[in-house]
Amino acid sequence: MFDGILTKIFGSRNNRLVKAYRRRVAQINKLEPELKKLTDDQLKAKTQEFRDRLQKGETLDDLLPEAFAVVREASTRVLGMRHFDVQMIGGMVLNDGKIAEMSTGEGKTLTATLAVYLNALPGKGVHVVTVNDYLASRDAKWMGQLYEWLGLSVGVILSNEQDPAVKRAAYAADITYGTNNEFGFDYLRDNMEYEPGNRRQRPLNYAIVDEVDSILIDEARTPLIISGPAEDNIELYQAMDQIPALLTRQKGEKEPGDYWVDEKQHQVYLSDQGHETVEKIFTERGLITNGRSLYSPQNIMLMHHLIAALKAHTLFQRDKEYVVQNGEVIIVDEFTGRLMPGRRWSDGIHQAVEAKEHVKVQQETMTMASITFQNYFRMYDKLSGMTGTADTEAYEFQDIYGLETVVIPTNRPMIRVDQQDKVFKTAKEKYDAIVKDVKDCYSRGEPVLVGTTSIENSELLSHLMEKEGIPHNVLNAKQHEREAQIVAEAGRPGAVTIATNMAGRGTDIVLGGSISKVVDTIRHDESLTEEQKKAKIDEEKAAWQKVHEQVVKSGGLRIIGSERHESRRIDNQLRGRSGRQGDPGSTCFYLSMEDNLLKIFGGDRMKAMATHLKLEEGIPIESKMLSRMIENAQRKVEARNYDIRKQLLEFDDVQNDQRHEIYKVRNEILDSQDLSESVREMRHGFYSDLVRQYVPAETVEDQWDLDGLTSTLRSEWAVNLDTKAWMEEDESRTDEDLEQKVLDEADRVYNEKVELVGADAWNGFCRSVLLQVLDQTWRQHISALDLLRQGIFLRGYAQKQPKQEYKKEAFSMFEELLDLTREGVVRILMQVQIQMPEEAEEAEHEATEEAQRQVDAAQASQAEFTSLTAPENEPEAQEATVDDIAFAGVGRNDPCPCGSGKKFKDCHGKLN
């Protein structure tokens, strides 16, 4: 209550910030008349002037009023768009490293140019992060005209196979546009390179994240992972795909059946009965041997594959979570509705879905490098973002990223009407009501956008519209190529558009339809003179104005939501398509008690209320209390998703500290001209530890194992030293003398190799060895950490804190990683044999002859086996090949008939 009184007296923090920014806008506006008098060349020269002033000690904050005024004037001349005062406020919010919440249609793309230009002046690079390649290309081309006119360079990185040289040039530009995925992947790729010149990115200076809530919150639950091939379990996935059909699903957790699906937690659990059923099925099918338990160590992976198959059949629905295109399973982003080619679910889920859909099952992968979006974007020296819907997640932005959210006022008052939710008893009644509403709008010429939560629902509504004879467009991941065209037409009189969340990002629906493409075509028509172009454009604009006024009179754009999304932000994005720049419009959500959100998260109270209100068929209830309950259900989901993201981040923070350390060492290796000192430290550290294994410090000679030390040094570590004899030569020698002698001998062996090869060539070899061993141990370490994280929660049963235990174990494993890296490097460098060119040729010749001998022997064995298996009364069969007789019909992964114990593909099948 006291806080409310203070807010009334002093205004909220948001109001105070906006007020302070308005005072600076007044300063910028005062500069406008002077800048208008400048010629184009004089205005362009301001960029170099600003850079010179920065060199002399002025700060970006000192330059801000003039720089913003210059950008506004340049934009007016180049793009024909003058920044509104509220856009100036947005630019200042972005420059201060905050999040600017600006309503749809307020011009976020243009707003960003202010902060981008100012922060690009020092030449350290500015990254503008978008949600997809289309927006990255569009914005780089559109706003790039302004930057290049002012003398700044612009690059764009795309997720298709871009040439590395093109990418390096894009990153070297003053301003770089790209997607969040590609920026993150390039960071990981740079830390897997083996040549310093192959790295793409510069140090991370400043980023503006467009649609910041989508990137830093919605996508933050899934880390970026670069994978490599792992073991081949394709047949096992196909075998497991048949099992779910043989099991009975439980209706509730305590009901009879084999397994229970917890839709809320997105998990599948086997019941006691299910364990018995599965064990019986596995035994019958030969997947486990008689007498073995389902949970024997060798059968643990079978359970992992079974759970993946059950999830694929129960929790992953076609045309909702994924689509099948060209024989591939492609994930659909649950928040944007867009396809995500190249992205795959982990833990075998993707392979299980491929087996379910009977498409080619791709090989399993192992993690080679990974990072979360949270940890990637927190590496920037300065970070800011913009979106139309950040306020509901303001706490998370502040808590995880340290980003304050500032709500920017609209340029014109918002007059859109947001109607009360209409809740029906069944989904059929809801869809009938939606069709009726759309029909009414269509008859009055009012454009309608119907929002759905999945491709499946969008196609269902499309079918219902077709039955009613209502012409419409469908925009979902299957029609993403037509997105720009559909959105351009969505504001025309009577236009009906059914869309997934795709229509909620980076697009403006203009009342009367967009004429920008028509105007561009006229402007680029070389057959017309400038006067003819102007006359034609004026004519098109006059015709558009009539259509625009017609749509405004009909009520503007009508938004119909067919279901509430799990997050209030996504609902707000859909609403935000209407009412841009003071346009009229209306919104309404149609819900049913069968909707997933109400069914899973609504709770018993909502069901009781529905029973109490006695919902009648076809008659909706519109109740503020019910709307609040629905909002509370959404809050529950948001809180749960926040916990998932926070937990992911807390665990990844441990790996992140280690990642920074490994990547720092890696970059030092890449940038170092001379690695001899680093290698010497590793060598000395290793041999000292080795000596101390056999000759512990502060022990008597009776406890020393000099024979064991001598044997190990000779057989494994290329040091031929009889430690016992050396110690007996002089009784005054101590264990420290022995340690030093071993180090000297190791140095001698090592230095002989360096002299033989040459310091420069050896340095290059060392770099390659260091990087390869470091990468290999790091990959193994990442896999080990993933496994540790999956099982660490069981420590809670022992009254231990899983997070603390994870930190402790991870630190211990990291120390082990460093030891393994050191050992691996020393082993290769000490054991490597140096050969002169003529010796290498001779060795290669001998190896070729030996390989040929092995092939001849194998073929002789094969011929003998063939003759033994051929019928005696058919002499011609004795000369038959492997394809003709002995191995006909043998599968690639079947045991080889020769009895070697190997798979056919690795034995006679390989020879064949």
Side-chain angles (χ1 to χ4, degrees), residues 111-266:
T111 298
T113 57
L114 299 158
V116 168
Y117 174 77
L118 179 62
N119 286 273
L121 291 172
K124 294 179 182 177
V126 173
H127 292 173
V128 184
V129 187
T130 65
V131 289
N132 58 52
D133 284 339
Y134 163 71
L135 291 176
S137 302
R138 184 200 74 176
D139 294 355
K141 187 178 175 185
W142 187 16
M143 297 298 136
Q145 301 170 71
L146 172 61
Y147 301 129
E148 285 166 358
W149 193 85
L150 285 166
L152 298 177
S153 55
V154 181
V156 59
I157 57 160
L158 303 171
S159 53
N160 53 19
E161 291 299 317
Q162 230 175 350
D163 187 82
V166 174
K167 267 200 172 167
R168 280 191 286 278
Y171 279 115
D174 293 313
I175 300 149
T176 310
Y177 281 84
T179 64
N180 50 318
N181 289 338
E182 207 56 21
F183 281 120
F185 279 132
D186 280 343
Y187 169 75
L188 293 176
R189 290 180 192 121
D190 280 0
N191 286 290
M192 294 171 72
E193 291 294 350
Y194 281 75
E195 290 295 330
N198 289 347
R199 287 175 293 190
R200 302 155 187 79
Q201 292 183 343
R202 294 191 280 169
L204 303 177
N205 172 46
Y206 175 53
I208 292 181
V209 183
D210 192 9
E211 307 299 357
V212 67
D213 55 325
S214 175
I215 291 170
L216 296 191
I217 289 185
D218 295 339
E219 297 201 27
R221 277 193 284 173
T222 311
L224 288 174
I225 296 173
I226 290 182
S227 303
E231 70 245 43
D232 189 350
N233 285 322
I234 291 169
E235 290 86 356
L236 192 52
Y237 282 109
Q238 289 166 338
M240 282 298 168
D241 183 57
Q242 299 166 22
I243 309 295
L246 306 174
L247 302 177
T248 309
R249 179 172 173 172
Q250 294 170 265
K251 290 180 180 175
E253 193 176 356
K254 307 294 182 188
E255 300 290 319
D258 296 317
Y259 66 94
W260 176 60
V261 180
D262 184 348
E263 291 175 320
K264 192 182 284 190
Q265 299 297 333
H266 214 64

Side-chain angles (χ1 to χ4, degrees), residues 543-703:
W544 172 84
Q545 190 62 39
K546 285 180 185 173
V547 178
H548 174 75
E549 284 166 11
Q550 181 189 335
V551 173
V552 168
K553 277 179 190 170
S554 71
L557 180 65
R558 169 78 164 163
I559 301 288
I560 295 174
S562 66
E563 198 173 329
R564 281 279 196 174
H565 200 275
E566 285 185 357
S567 168
R568 287 171 295 160
R569 280 182 303 105
I570 313 295
D571 294 341
N572 292 339
Q573 283 161 21
L574 180 62
R575 279 204 166 111
R577 298 300 100 202
S578 177
R580 61 184 290 282
Q581 285 294 325
D583 284 342
S586 62
T587 69
C588 183
F589 278 86
Y590 286 79
L591 315 174
S592 83
M593 298 309 289
E594 293 176 1
D595 291 352
N596 276 345
L597 180 76
L598 276 63
K599 197 166 61 180
I600 300 171
F601 296 97
D604 296 332
R605 194 177 165 205
M606 192 175 285
K607 288 167 192 160
M609 185 179 179
T611 309
H612 175 70
L613 290 168
K614 294 178 183 171
L615 283 172
E616 292 179 35
E617 193 172 331
I619 300 172
I621 53 169
E622 297 178 47
S623 157
K624 283 186 180 176
M625 188 190 294
L626 195 58
S627 293
R628 276 199 302 274
M629 288 169 79
I630 292 164
E631 200 170 297
N632 286 337
Q634 288 177 304
R635 285 179 199 274
K636 280 185 202 170
V637 186
E638 287 167 9
R640 176 175 151 269
N641 289 342
Y642 172 56
D643 288 340
I644 292 169
R645 289 189 293 269
K646 191 157 188 190
Q647 189 176 86
L648 173 74
L649 182 61
E650 284 170 347
F651 279 103
D652 192 65
D653 278 344
V654 177
Q655 188 176 322
N656 194 49
D657 293 339
Q658 297 178 2
R659 185 191 298 115
H660 276 311
E661 198 59 39
I662 291 293
Y663 286 175
K664 182 181 160 194
V665 170
R666 214 179 177 286
N667 285 321
E668 284 171 3
I669 293 168
L670 274 175
D671 295 330
S672 177
Q673 299 302 310
D674 183 6
L675 292 164
S676 57
E677 187 56 34
S678 301
V679 172
R680 192 183 75 83
E681 284 178 17
M682 294 176 90
R683 188 171 63 251
H684 280 204
F686 175 77
Y687 278 102
S688 292
D689 289 350
L690 183 66
V691 170
R692 289 305 169 190
Q693 284 177 29
Y694 295 90
V695 184
E698 299 176 5
T699 57
V700 294
E701 287 185 32
D702 290 348
Q703 293 174 283

